[in-house]
Amino acid sequence: MKRASILALTASLLCANAFAAKDSISIVGSSTVFPFSKVVAERYGKSTQFKTPTVESTGTGGGFKEFCKGTDIATPDITNASRRIKQSEFDQCKANGVTDIVEVLIGYDGIVLANSLEAKQVKLSRKQIFLALAEKVPATDGSEKLIDNPYQKWSDIDKSLPDVKIRVLGPPPSSGTRDAFVELAMEGGCSAFPWIKAMKKSDKDRFKEVCHIMREDGAFQEAGENDNLIVQKLAADPNALGIFGFSFLDQNSDKVQPSLIDGEEPTFETIADGSYPVSRPLYFYVKKAHVGVVPGIAEYLAEFTHERAWGDEGYLTDKGMIPLSEEKRETIGARVKNLEILTKL
Amino acid sequence: MNKISTTEQVQRSLKKRYRAEKRFRMYGVTSIVIGLLALLLLFTEIISKGVGAFKQHYVSLEINFDADDLGLDADLFTFFDAVREDYGNKLHSELKIADQHATMAEALSEFEAQAQRDFGMTVIDALQAREQQLADANFTGIIRNSLRERFPSVKSRRDRRALYSLVSVGASFDLRDRVNADASLIGTTQKLWLLADDDLDTYVKSLNDSEPFIGRLKENQVEFISSWLEKNEIDARFNTIFFTSGDSSEPEQAGILGAVMGTFFTLLVTLILSFPVGVAAAIYLEEYATKNKFTDFIEVNINNLAAVPSVIFGLLGLAIFLNFFGMTRSVPLVGGMVLTLMTLPTIIISSRAAITSVPPSIREAALGMGASRMQTILHHVLPLAMPGMLTGAIIGMARALGETAPLLMIGMVAFIAEVPSSWNDAATVLPVQIYLWADSPERAFVERTSAAIMVLLAFLIMMNGLAIYLRKRLERRW
């Protein structure tokens, strides 16, 4: 008797649940955009009558996967991304009926190489980063051959670099930070060799193989998705370098210092104007079919694209996001207001 | 030939045997000492890191609730305070909801004439005007005014920004709530304690350390803080926010209540589903099922399932509950169902063990007295097996309490600011909250992470304590 009533209760709950209207926005996607997204969500929830959106950190790829599942009300309304949507993801979305997507570029994030304050600040070029971290590097005699990475110490690469063992801690391949680092720093570095750069046109797969594969002999160590952990390990080992997002550098300036890359120190200014080479754009994508169905999406977009949020002195910059230029904010803000959809990449 | 007697031989080796005996005991003692040391290390580490989170700093400021600065109509607020006094707070909070305005209009009709006379609009319109004014009111502005008055020498935009950022953004919501509760504040100047920003909080807490944590604070901000400190305008109070609010991206406003409620609803669903099902399965397998290849097969499977990594259950939940049944993401109902799958094997195994330990003589006696199988089980076997079953269930629950991996797949690893009020509201659980805070860049989350771990450990100890208590209390010996 008791059991039967419990089963009935569960069944009724299930049915009620499946057809219940969604009353709050659900957001998925990049772990890099996550902190920015949740500040906006929270302020929006406190200052409007709408419920605070649910923000999940699934990673950029995982976010698109959920987002593109369809236009059903149970699917996410917004997905965050630390890179632009890929053609394959766009096609996947279209195939599932998610045809109207609004793209919003919100700002930039810098990826930094940093070491403990106890050690000297390091100055590197992207070429040196590539030589230190790639699995295969061009032969030392200058011929166009690839050999297993022979460099054990930084000073082996260049005399000006410190005479310590190469030890770099970084995120695993599932992380967006790693993707961006590989694309911006490593690819930038290997393009410094003209014959590898030429490969990009002739044999793209081979080019990626050469530039993207990190060495696995211990000089580069995967330290997990948790950037705080990398900071802690750096503080304990002055000889190690770490790779993480700019916001973590901002919050831990008492423990770690950034390395100069191509002569540029990562700061708000150098990332915003593009002179710091390892920075990436941050986006979010909105399912237009849900605007007006799920309450408050338009208001959330308005909050996000308000000057007090993404402006030069907005609260997102306090959280470490690098703002867009004023003209860009204006054009994108207008596009968002009109909910202009993304037609092609 | 040199023959030794047995006694002599024993005597000779006796010392050696005693030594071996002693060593053997020492191994055990050492193991326990190592275990205790590890536990002590863990506790001191967590407690020393987390104890700071139970204090939060406030800044004293002279706040001028100027009606013009705020953009509020004082009469309108006073009027509704009078209405509220007549109807109580409950009505007032319901009044906020637009749908109920029609029904409220009737209730408020006696104030209609007054509203028409004083404000020239219907009482419902007046109420809406009040809500709108409150939402638009510039509480940040009056906090900034007060900060500027406190430090009149700060002139440049940059320095002012640095000054403003020392007070939490939550302070303006606090002022809003105060005005909402009491209209007589409008037009007065009050000395209030406002919530400080996490940067200030972390810095002041570290002042006694050998090297204070300056972090993101700029030089002039440190000067502002020392000026406050000199005049005793910074005060540490018990951090009630930590226990009464949900998650926040600002550490000073972040609390664990959301996660605790989420945990409660998730475990409630798990208990409601897994205990009856687990016990029923155990009873059938022990009391009714005949021993054959099929039941052996089931037994092997149950034992296997108990050892399956929990993330697999999360994947199963994603595939079945979310993708097939189309249930909502991130809700405790689905979380509880996934954890049910995970705890079921544990509960079945412990329940079966409890049933087996009931002596057969009891069953035989009951059957001999003419009881049916069902009566025997319900009246005799089950009550005697209950302590063991409950212990198993509680230990299963305690394991479920610490899980994050299966919840990752169904969207419960998420930022959820609102405290859930039912198992259909988006929610997260304590271990997930710990994980999310540990992953946050803000330094002030470090101590909150440890504090949340302390709360989780307290819950675990309570549950295990309950299991021991129940066992001692209900256990019967033969």
PDB file of all heavy atoms in Angstrom, chain B residues 29 76 98 116 174 176 229 236 303 328 355 375:
ATOM      1  N   VAL B  29      49.727  -0.556  16.186  1.00  0.00           N
ATOM      2  CA  VAL B  29      49.679   0.763  16.823  1.00  0.00           C
ATOM      3  C   VAL B  29      50.184   1.833  15.867  1.00  0.00           C
ATOM      4  O   VAL B  29      49.576   2.889  15.703  1.00  0.00           O
ATOM      5  CB  VAL B  29      50.517   0.760  18.126  1.00  0.00           C
ATOM      6  CG1 VAL B  29      50.617   2.166  18.697  1.00  0.00           C
ATOM      7  CG2 VAL B  29      49.889  -0.181  19.140  1.00  0.00           C
ATOM      8  N   LEU B  76       4.299  57.842  -0.818  1.00  0.00           N
ATOM      9  CA  LEU B  76       3.843  56.572  -1.383  1.00  0.00           C
ATOM     10  C   LEU B  76       4.296  55.408  -0.505  1.00  0.00           C
ATOM     11  O   LEU B  76       3.532  54.479  -0.227  1.00  0.00           O
ATOM     12  CB  LEU B  76       4.428  56.440  -2.789  1.00  0.00           C
ATOM     13  CG  LEU B  76       3.845  55.390  -3.726  1.00  0.00           C
ATOM     14  CD1 LEU B  76       2.389  55.640  -3.955  1.00  0.00           C
ATOM     15  CD2 LEU B  76       4.594  55.407  -5.043  1.00  0.00           C
ATOM     16  N   ALA B  98       2.407  40.115  -9.950  1.00  0.00           N
ATOM     17  CA  ALA B  98       1.472  40.846 -10.795  1.00  0.00           C
ATOM     18  C   ALA B  98       0.143  40.103 -10.970  1.00  0.00           C
ATOM     19  O   ALA B  98      -0.921  40.700 -10.966  1.00  0.00           O
ATOM     20  CB  ALA B  98       2.107  41.106 -12.148  1.00  0.00           C
ATOM     21  N   GLN B 116      -6.657  57.506  -4.265  1.00  0.00           N
ATOM     22  CA  GLN B 116      -7.136  58.445  -5.276  1.00  0.00           C
ATOM     23  C   GLN B 116      -6.885  59.884  -4.831  1.00  0.00           C
ATOM     24  O   GLN B 116      -6.454  60.715  -5.616  1.00  0.00           O
ATOM     25  CB  GLN B 116      -8.649  58.242  -5.520  1.00  0.00           C
ATOM     26  CG  GLN B 116      -8.993  56.984  -6.289  1.00  0.00           C
ATOM     27  CD  GLN B 116      -8.583  57.059  -7.751  1.00  0.00           C
ATOM     28  OE1 GLN B 116      -8.087  58.065  -8.221  1.00  0.00           O
ATOM     29  NE2 GLN B 116      -8.764  55.946  -8.473  1.00  0.00           N
ATOM     30  N   ASP B 174      20.965  45.514   0.207  1.00  0.00           N
ATOM     31  CA  ASP B 174      20.659  45.545   1.634  1.00  0.00           C
ATOM     32  C   ASP B 174      19.876  46.819   1.969  1.00  0.00           C
ATOM     33  O   ASP B 174      18.849  46.779   2.658  1.00  0.00           O
ATOM     34  CB  ASP B 174      21.974  45.478   2.423  1.00  0.00           C
ATOM     35  CG  ASP B 174      21.760  45.604   3.919  1.00  0.00           C
ATOM     36  OD1 ASP B 174      20.754  45.068   4.395  1.00  0.00           O
ATOM     37  OD2 ASP B 174      22.594  46.231   4.590  1.00  0.00           O
ATOM     38  N   ARG B 176      18.137  48.601  -0.109  1.00  0.00           N
ATOM     39  CA  ARG B 176      16.832  48.494  -0.748  1.00  0.00           C
ATOM     40  C   ARG B 176      15.867  47.732   0.156  1.00  0.00           C
ATOM     41  O   ARG B 176      14.734  48.146   0.358  1.00  0.00           O
ATOM     42  CB  ARG B 176      16.966  47.778  -2.092  1.00  0.00           C
ATOM     43  CG  ARG B 176      15.669  47.764  -2.874  1.00  0.00           C
ATOM     44  CD  ARG B 176      15.807  47.013  -4.169  1.00  0.00           C
ATOM     45  NE  ARG B 176      15.963  45.577  -3.926  1.00  0.00           N
ATOM     46  CZ  ARG B 176      16.208  44.699  -4.882  1.00  0.00           C
ATOM     47  NH1 ARG B 176      16.351  45.093  -6.119  1.00  0.00           N
ATOM     48  NH2 ARG B 176      16.325  43.418  -4.602  1.00  0.00           N
ATOM     49  N   LEU B 229      40.122  51.711   9.814  1.00  0.00           N
ATOM     50  CA  LEU B 229      40.539  50.895  10.957  1.00  0.00           C
ATOM     51  C   LEU B 229      40.889  51.768  12.153  1.00  0.00           C
ATOM     52  O   LEU B 229      40.553  51.469  13.288  1.00  0.00           O
ATOM     53  CB  LEU B 229      41.740  50.015  10.577  1.00  0.00           C
ATOM     54  CG  LEU B 229      41.419  48.766   9.751  1.00  0.00           C
ATOM     55  CD1 LEU B 229      42.699  48.104   9.279  1.00  0.00           C
ATOM     56  CD2 LEU B 229      40.583  47.789  10.561  1.00  0.00           C
ATOM     57  N   ALA B 236      34.348  43.168  12.476  1.00  0.00           N
ATOM     58  CA  ALA B 236      34.150  41.787  12.041  1.00  0.00           C
ATOM     59  C   ALA B 236      32.935  41.231  12.755  1.00  0.00           C
ATOM     60  O   ALA B 236      32.798  41.383  13.964  1.00  0.00           O
ATOM     61  CB  ALA B 236      35.379  40.957  12.381  1.00  0.00           C
ATOM     62  N   ASN B 303      26.211  -7.260  -6.777  1.00  0.00           N
ATOM     63  CA  ASN B 303      27.531  -7.038  -6.197  1.00  0.00           C
ATOM     64  C   ASN B 303      28.429  -6.255  -7.137  1.00  0.00           C
ATOM     65  O   ASN B 303      29.206  -5.417  -6.708  1.00  0.00           O
ATOM     66  CB  ASN B 303      28.188  -8.373  -5.848  1.00  0.00           C
ATOM     67  CG  ASN B 303      27.512  -9.011  -4.658  1.00  0.00           C
ATOM     68  OD1 ASN B 303      26.912  -8.312  -3.833  1.00  0.00           O
ATOM     69  ND2 ASN B 303      27.563 -10.324  -4.566  1.00  0.00           N
ATOM     70  N   THR B 328      13.773  17.738 -16.756  1.00  0.00           N
ATOM     71  CA  THR B 328      14.526  18.991 -16.693  1.00  0.00           C
ATOM     72  C   THR B 328      15.958  18.739 -16.211  1.00  0.00           C
ATOM     73  O   THR B 328      16.188  17.862 -15.391  1.00  0.00           O
ATOM     74  CB  THR B 328      13.858  19.962 -15.708  1.00  0.00           C
ATOM     75  OG1 THR B 328      12.462  19.721 -15.732  1.00  0.00           O
ATOM     76  CG2 THR B 328      14.136  21.387 -16.075  1.00  0.00           C
ATOM     77  N   ILE B 355      18.740  -9.324   6.977  1.00  0.00           N
ATOM     78  CA  ILE B 355      17.688 -10.345   7.010  1.00  0.00           C
ATOM     79  C   ILE B 355      18.278 -11.719   7.326  1.00  0.00           C
ATOM     80  O   ILE B 355      17.712 -12.492   8.105  1.00  0.00           O
ATOM     81  CB  ILE B 355      16.926 -10.364   5.667  1.00  0.00           C
ATOM     82  CG1 ILE B 355      16.133  -9.059   5.516  1.00  0.00           C
ATOM     83  CG2 ILE B 355      15.977 -11.557   5.584  1.00  0.00           C
ATOM     84  CD1 ILE B 355      15.490  -8.879   4.175  1.00  0.00           C
ATOM     85  N   GLN B 375       2.993 -12.322   7.053  1.00  0.00           N
ATOM     86  CA  GLN B 375       2.928 -11.904   8.452  1.00  0.00           C
ATOM     87  C   GLN B 375       4.259 -12.146   9.149  1.00  0.00           C
ATOM     88  O   GLN B 375       4.725 -11.320   9.935  1.00  0.00           O
ATOM     89  CB  GLN B 375       1.796 -12.640   9.170  1.00  0.00           C
ATOM     90  CG  GLN B 375       0.440 -12.062   8.828  1.00  0.00           C
ATOM     91  CD  GLN B 375      -0.700 -12.935   9.309  1.00  0.00           C
ATOM     92  OE1 GLN B 375      -0.549 -14.163   9.409  1.00  0.00           O
ATOM     93  NE2 GLN B 375      -1.830 -12.312   9.595  1.00  0.00           N
TER      94      GLN B 375
END
